[in-house]
Amino acid sequence: MIKKLFNLSPLLYVFLVWFVFASPFFLQGLVPYSSKYQLNFFAPWSHYEKFQGPVKNNAMPDVHTQIYPWKKLTIDTYKMGQIPLWNPYSFSGNPQLANFQTAVFSPFNLLFFLFSFIDAWSILVLLQPLLAGYFMYLLLRQYGLSKLATLLGSTSFMFCGFMVVWMAYATLGFAILYLPLSLYAIEKFIEKQKKKTLVFLVLSITLSIFSGHFQTSLYALGFIFIYIVWKAKQNKEKNLSIALFGAYGLGLVLALPQILPTIQLYEFSVRAGNYIAGGGIPWKYLITIVAPDFFGNPVTRNDWFGFYAEWASFVGIVPILFASLAVLQRKSRHVLFFSVVTLGLLVLIVDSPVQSLIGALHIPVLSTSNPSRIIVLLSFVISVLSGFGLDFWLKKDYVEKNIWYAIGFWLGIVLLVWILLVLGKPFSADKLTIATRNFVLPTALLFFSIFVLLVSRYFNHQRFLVFGALLFLAIASFDSLRFAQKWMPFDPKSLVYPSVPVIDAIKKNIGYGRMFGNFGGETAVYYDIPSIEGYDPLYIQRYGEFIRSSNSGD
């Protein structure tokens, strides 16, 4: 019994860290939905004084105007025994299934048949970091890493910047969390050569596409394809490579009911011709990998640089420290692969002529979307490398000087930033105060981590190394939870779509008419009120031209 508990302890730790984050839902009856933001900023609730009050996070409008109402329409349509093909409440009618972000085929839609809508939505949102942590755990254990090292990578990924800032949308996180599961399936198949393990690869690809964010799924699919190519070159057995590529293709085939309608809608939408030139992350903004609020935070209303969610790259000081050790050590082919991928991702992520080139090539989706969101792959790779780095350290399987190189590099970066802040004063006084204040904790965590690392190495006994690893895990978990809890709102369930007289009056008198006025999808789609307007990147271009002609007469 004790042995079983010990074997399960890593999974229990992941669950514990997740439960601490999700505890407001389970223990206080609060929901991960910013209802206070909706009541303060969206009509008709914003016109009622009784709903006015403090708002924690007002940086996630699309949850209210798109994702949440679309989910309700999807579930309501299913409950009527129909497939949600059409949304009659936006743009005088617009495709629903082909919209992609509606996640019509997501198996997690079943939650809404088991729980109340807001409870099912809350579970859907909160499942993202938990599944991400468990899938990363499977992958790192498959790589042969120790349990403590695996936990560092898991906690880092489950609460990385991308996962946290997009968690409330309940789409982007699901689109990427299957990535470690797919790599696990590839590794397991090569090891055991049992075709049943390929089921996980097939499902990972299909479910990622069904999750509701094509751009993120495209990044995951690209990574998986490159990984298969790399594995195929390593293995001389052609049958293994054929099976892997076959499973990859089968996953895409199973997702065709979503892919084909979306391609057709994309071709007719206004988004197809809106190409983006640029959008990369400035080099100096990469300091947010360890200090996420260096340039402020929308929650504290001092985000002066902008693009907080689009450029979210946080993984934490401990993971980046050990990831650096792994890169310097390069003790395995996997570390070498992820190290090379890191360099490639940096080229794609940072502001450079590469973004302009991608925009000029007019590549569907990639050339019409913000390129910085590929930062999620960098967070994933750093999380994997952090596990390898801590494993090398625990097993004493590294060159001593590499420890000092890793410490020296990040110590030098931090000290350089402090010199610039104190002596260079690169920002105005108010912005300098924000940057300085929000750089204190990452600096303290770095110095404490270095202290633990050096003390553990000084005694040079396995017991002290394990104790040091536990401290590193505690520091990383604290850092991740602090970041996630600061961002994510948990509001009273009673404030989610409270009834107001004007909505009841509209529903009673609308008849077969359509409305035009001061309201959006959070009202029209949620309450089944037909509107001539809408908010959707995939609205039909011809309809937009038609509406414009009513104003211009052309």
Side-chain angles (χ1 to χ4, degrees):
M1 182 65 180
I2 295 177
K3 185 177 180 179
K4 288 183 179 179
L5 287 175
F6 179 77
N7 291 332
L8 289 174
S9 58
L11 298 178
L12 292 175
Y13 183 85
V14 171
F15 179 83
L16 177 62
V17 173
W18 171 81
F19 188 81
V20 171
F21 168 74
S23 60
F25 173 68
F26 293 104
L27 302 181
Q28 302 175 38
L30 303 177
V31 292
Y33 178 82
S34 187
S35 54
K36 292 181 180 179
Y37 170 46
Q38 180 175 335
L39 299 187
N40 277 263
F41 286 85
F42 296 92
W45 306 278
S46 58
H47 295 278
Y48 289 81
E49 186 176 347
K50 66 177 181 178
F51 292 134
Q52 305 310 298
V55 175
K56 178 176 180 178
N57 191 330
N58 62 354
M60 46 184 70
D62 291 356
V63 175
H64 305 282
T65 56
Q66 294 181 321
I67 309 300
Y68 194 83
W70 288 342
K71 181 63 70 177
K72 184 175 183 297
L73 175 59
T74 294
I75 302 305
D76 287 348
T77 306
Y78 272 135
K79 289 184 176 180
M80 290 188 293
Q82 303 173 13
I83 299 175
L85 298 173
W86 191 252
N87 173 2
Y89 308 114
S90 298
F91 305 108
S92 300
N94 205 58
Q96 174 77 352
L97 183 152
N99 176 287
F100 202 93
Q101 292 191 83
T102 54
V104 165
F105 293 115
S106 171
F108 292 99
N109 288 333
L110 293 173
L111 291 171
F112 295 86
F113 291 84
L114 302 175
F115 304 97
S116 67
F117 191 87
I118 185 57
D119 284 338
W121 175 264
S122 301
I123 296 170
L124 185 70
V125 169
L126 295 175
L127 274 177
Q128 294 170 97
L130 182 63
L131 293 177
Y134 281 151
F135 292 161
M136 179 65 94
Y137 175 82
L138 288 175
L139 174 63
L140 297 184
R141 286 296 285 170
Q142 181 62 32
Y143 286 150
L145 303 190
S146 63
K147 293 179 179 179
L148 287 174
T150 298
L151 286 178
L152 178 61
S154 298
T155 54
S156 173
F157 180 58
M158 66 192 289
F159 289 119
C160 69
F162 184 94
M163 194 67 69
V164 169
V165 299
W166 298 109
M167 190 188 307
Y169 288 67
T171 54
L172 290 86
F174 277 107
I176 197 63
L177 64 81
Y178 294 106
L179 175 57
L181 181 62
S182 63
L183 303 191
Y184 163 79
I186 294 170
E187 293 290 335
K188 198 73 175 177
F189 173 70
I190 293 174
E191 177 192 11
K192 300 292 186 181
Q193 299 189 19
K194 294 182 179 179
K195 292 185 178 180
K196 64 180 182 180
T197 58
L198 290 178
V199 172
F200 292 107
L201 176 57
V202 174
L203 291 178
S204 295
I205 292 171
T206 304
L207 293 179
S208 175
I209 295 173
F210 285 170
S211 295
H213 199 265
F214 192 65
Q215 181 186 5
T216 307
S217 295
L218 199 61
Y219 293 148
L221 292 173
F223 195 102
I224 295 168
F225 185 82
I226 292 172
Y227 196 84
I228 292 176
V229 171
W230 175 63
K231 283 294 180 180
K233 288 185 176 181
Q234 283 186 317
N235 291 276
K236 303 301 181 181
E237 297 183 41
K238 290 185 178 181
N239 290 337
L240 291 180
S241 301
I242 293 173
L244 288 173
F245 283 114
Y248 184 91
L250 180 58
L252 294 177
V253 169
L254 292 178
L256 285 179
Q258 178 65 74
I259 295 174
L260 293 179
T262 299
I263 291 176
Q264 186 179 26
L265 175 59
Y266 180 85
E267 292 174 346
F268 284 104
S269 74
V270 69
R271 189 65 174 266
N274 291 340
Y275 299 105
I276 297 175
I281 301 175
W283 276 99
K284 62 182 178 181
Y285 202 87
L286 293 181
I287 192 64
T288 57
I289 290 177
V290 295
D293 298 341
F294 188 86
F295 297 100
N297 189 312
V299 173
T300 48
R301 309 299 192 270
N302 58 9
D303 175 32
W304 56 271
F305 206 96
F307 302 100
Y308 189 93
E310 296 291 349
W311 295 350
S313 58
F314 172 76
V315 291
I317 193 66
V318 171
I320 199 70
L321 179 63
F322 281 101
S324 302
L325 174 60
V327 171
L328 291 169
Q329 195 62 28
R330 298 190 300 276
K331 292 287 289 186
S332 74
R333 291 181 178 180
H334 289 103
V335 170
L336 181 59
F337 171 81
F338 286 113
S339 300
V340 172
V341 169
T342 299
L343 294 177
L345 288 172
L346 283 173
V347 172
L348 294 174
I349 290 166
V350 299
D351 190 17
S352 70
V354 174
Q355 281 77 36
S356 298
L357 176 61
I358 293 174
L361 291 175
H362 292 182
I363 304 172
V365 182
L366 293 182
S367 297
T368 59
S369 304
N370 195 320
S372 62
R373 290 181 186 173
I374 201 173
I375 193 72
V376 66
L377 294 183
L378 182 63
S379 299
F380 169 73
V381 169
I382 291 175
S383 299
V384 171
L385 289 172
S386 70
F388 275 101
L390 183 57
D391 196 65
F392 292 155
W393 183 75
L394 275 169
K395 296 175 180 177
K396 305 178 186 178
D397 187 20
Y398 60 90
V399 178
E400 189 73 27
K401 64 179 181 180
N402 288 337
I403 283 280
W404 295 105
Y405 286 154
I407 292 174
F409 178 80
W410 287 105
L411 197 59
I413 292 291
V414 169
L415 291 178
L416 178 61
V417 172
W418 276 113
I419 290 173
L420 291 174
L421 291 175
V422 175
L423 300 180
K425 300 186 183 303
F427 313 127
S428 60
D430 56 335
K431 296 173 183 176
L432 190 63
T433 299
I434 295 170
T436 303
R437 182 177 63 244
N438 291 330
F439 201 55
V440 170
L441 181 60
T443 303
L445 293 179
L446 173 63
F447 277 97
F448 184 66
S449 298
I450 293 174
F451 172 77
V452 173
L453 194 151
L454 295 180
V455 169
S456 302
R457 291 306 303 145
Y458 175 77
F459 288 100
N460 201 29
H461 189 280
Q462 192 62 32
R463 184 177 299 175
F464 286 98
L465 292 178
V466 171
F467 181 71
L470 289 170
L471 284 177
F472 289 132
L473 184 58
I475 295 169
S477 300
F478 162 77
D479 205 12
S480 294
L481 282 173
R482 179 194 64 84
F483 168 70
Q485 290 175 327
K486 182 176 182 178
W487 175 266
M488 193 66 188
F490 283 86
D491 285 348
K493 191 183 300 186
S494 60
L495 297 182
V496 178
Y497 278 90
S499 177
V500 289
V502 66
I503 296 294
D504 297 333
I506 291 173
K507 289 176 68 65
K508 182 178 180 180
N509 295 283
I510 188 67
Y512 293 103
R514 293 189 178 276
M515 281 196 63
F516 172 78
N518 181 29
F519 66 99
E522 68 284 349
T523 303
V525 179
Y526 188 90
Y527 289 111
D528 303 339
I529 300 173
S531 171
I532 65 171
E533 291 186 295
Y535 175 44
D536 186 348
L538 292 183
Y539 77 85
I540 299 172
Q541 183 175 355
R542 287 282 290 166
Y543 184 78
E545 294 171 353
F546 166 69
I547 293 298
R548 185 170 66 242
S549 70
S550 67
N551 180 51
S552 64
D554 297 330

